[in-house]
Amino acid sequence: MGIFNKTTEEKKSDPKVKAVAKQEEKKATKELYAAETAKKADKKESKFENAYKVLLKPLVTEKASIGGQFNKYFFEVSSDANKVEVAKAVEKVYGIKPVRVNMINTDGKKVRYGRYNGKRKDWKKAIVTLPEGQSIKVYEGV
């Protein structure tokens, strides 16, 4: 008796039919995942997407402007960023590969609002040293 002569109940319990059904299901899921990954690859991602999540803003202070004379630029960066991520972000945004990146964890100041005590958030500062002759126009329009 062949597979085709059986009733639907018998076909469901037949191990050969189950194996064929599993193979077809695997093929269908593979095709589905392949289509999803192709869609993701087709999307053009911004080349600065993660760079602006790492570099939050340039610091415009007296000390930072003095550091600019020595090719050192100060940035407020994400609190979970590391030196490598900051260097890559500076290279993506400004097109200059830094020579050195130094990081400083800064504690938030204690503040009072009337009779309530509080604290500003902790933040991280990056000091980026650029090669000789290279500069960033951070302070334009300030």
Side-chain angles (χ1 to χ4, degrees):
M1 197 175 206
I3 296 174
F4 299 106
N5 296 337
K6 295 181 179 180
T7 63
T8 55
E9 298 275 332
E10 291 173 340
K11 286 181 183 178
K12 288 181 183 177
S13 63
D14 190 17
K16 291 179 183 177
V17 174
K18 285 183 181 179
V20 171
K22 280 186 180 180
Q23 288 177 352
E24 289 176 1
E25 189 177 323
K26 283 183 182 179
K27 286 180 185 177
T29 54
K30 282 183 182 179
E31 291 172 2
L32 178 68
Y33 287 123
E36 286 180 10
T37 54
K39 286 180 185 176
K40 288 180 183 177
D42 289 343
K43 275 187 184 177
K44 285 191 173 182
E45 293 183 19
S46 172
K47 86 179 203 183
F48 302 120
E49 185 177 348
N50 292 329
Y52 289 110
K53 290 180 183 176
V54 175
L55 295 177
L56 301 179
K57 63 183 180 181
L59 294 176
V60 182
T61 62
E62 190 174 344
K63 189 173 186 177
S65 62
I66 292 169
Q69 297 172 355
F70 304 105
N71 285 348
K72 294 181 186 246
Y73 295 89
F74 293 64
F75 294 94
E76 182 177 337
V77 295
S78 175
S79 60
D80 58 344
N82 59 33
K83 291 181 179 186
V84 175
E85 291 173 344
V86 171
K88 286 181 181 177
V90 168
E91 188 173 1
K92 281 184 181 179
V93 174
Y94 298 106
I96 301 169
K97 187 171 184 175
V99 175
R100 179 180 298 138
V101 177
N102 295 21
M103 306 288 278
I104 300 169
N105 284 318
T106 308
D107 290 332
K109 295 180 179 180
K110 292 180 180 176
V111 293
R112 283 188 53 156
Y113 299 102
R115 63 182 177 168
Y116 300 108
N117 290 326
K119 181 178 165 272
R120 293 185 192 158
K121 68 176 187 172
D122 298 341
W123 57 287
K124 192 178 266 190
K125 184 190 321 186
I127 303 170
V128 178
T129 306
L130 299 180
E132 290 294 325
Q134 301 284 341
S135 65
I136 296 176
K137 300 202 177 194
V138 175
Y139 307 114
E140 278 185 1
V142 177

